[in-house]
């Protein structure tokens, strides 16, 4: 299978309890009528990086901008709470790996998409993204 063209990563939060992991999110998305979980990766509360939808298949995570993007969901509600250290570390590792595979990608929060009406990925996760990106650039 040809590799899908990818130019950006969208970061999401689940906006649910951090105890709710990949399987339950997949179930919710299927109930909503998706073929599978909408995200390509889910970072659970314990920092585990779980694979969701196959990366070569278009996701369903940013309405109107799924075509050339990868969706990563961090479990928790980060408008109110904070991602934990294990989750932040895992996110950094995952983004680094994806940059290695696809080249440097735009790193965005869901709310950066102009047509999105959402607080996702929550202020406390969103504010970490510039630092993560900066660190990866320096490490290159
Ligand atoms: Zn989102």
């Amino acid at each position: 299978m040809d590799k899908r063209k990818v130019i950006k990563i969208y970061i999401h939060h689940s906006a649910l309890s951090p105890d709710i992991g990949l399987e339950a999110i997949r179930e919710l998305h299927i109930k909503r009528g998706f073929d599978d979980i909408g995200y390509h990766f889910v970072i659970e509360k314990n920092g585990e990086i779980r694979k969701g939808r196959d990366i070569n298949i278009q996701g369903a995570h940013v309405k109107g901008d799924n075509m050339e993007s990868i969706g990563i969901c961090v479990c928790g509600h980060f408008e109110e709470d904070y991602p934990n250290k294990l989750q932040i570390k895992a996110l950094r590792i995952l983004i680094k790996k994806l940059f290695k595979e696809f080249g440097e990608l735009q790193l965005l929060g869901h709310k950066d998409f102009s047509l999105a009406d959402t607080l996702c990925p929550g202020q406390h996760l969103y504010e970490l993204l510039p630092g993560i990106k900066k660190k990866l650039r320096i490490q290159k």
Side-chain angles (χ1 to χ4, degrees):
M1 183 158 65
D2 279 346
K3 232 182 179 179
R4 188 167 67 97
K5 189 185 174 199
V6 170
I7 59 167
K8 57 182 91 167
I9 296 172
Y10 276 111
I11 306 297
H12 303 265
H13 67 165
S14 63
L16 299 166
S17 154
D19 295 318
I20 294 174
L22 177 120
E23 284 80 10
I25 295 171
R26 172 176 275 140
E27 222 169 273
L28 286 170
H29 284 188
I30 288 172
K31 260 187 207 152
R32 208 182 282 169
F34 298 175
D35 298 332
D36 188 3
I37 187 166
Y39 308 117
H40 296 99
F41 297 95
V42 172
I43 296 176
E44 294 187 339
K45 187 185 170 186
N46 63 2
E48 200 181 328
I49 300 166
R50 308 278 312 272
K51 279 190 180 161
R53 191 176 290 212
D54 188 290
I55 205 167
N56 280 311
I57 296 172
Q58 183 179 314
H61 53 96
V62 175
K63 198 174 180 202
D65 204 17
N66 287 307
M67 191 96 91
E68 295 177 341
S69 62
I70 290 170
I72 300 174
C73 174
V74 184
C75 293
H77 197 308
F78 306 124
E79 194 61 22
E80 292 153 15
D81 298 324
Y82 290 80
N84 70 44
K85 279 187 183 152
L86 294 172
Q87 289 179 310
I88 296 166
K89 192 179 165 199
L91 182 60
R92 215 179 270 138
I93 289 168
L94 177 57
I95 293 167
K96 191 175 176 181
K97 199 177 146 246
L98 292 171
F99 277 23
K100 239 184 204 163
E101 192 176 339
F102 292 95
E104 192 176 317
L105 302 167
Q106 281 181 69
L107 184 62
L108 302 165
H110 186 176
K111 66 182 179 184
D112 286 323
F113 183 53
S114 57
L115 301 177
D117 180 20
T118 179
L119 294 172
C120 180
Q123 54 177 331
H124 301 305
L125 177 52
Y126 186 73
E127 69 193 10
L128 299 177
L129 300 183
I132 290 174
K133 182 138 194 178
K134 203 170 162 193
K135 212 166 176 185
L136 287 175
R137 274 216 192 100
I138 292 163
Q139 282 175 355
K140 240 178 155 183

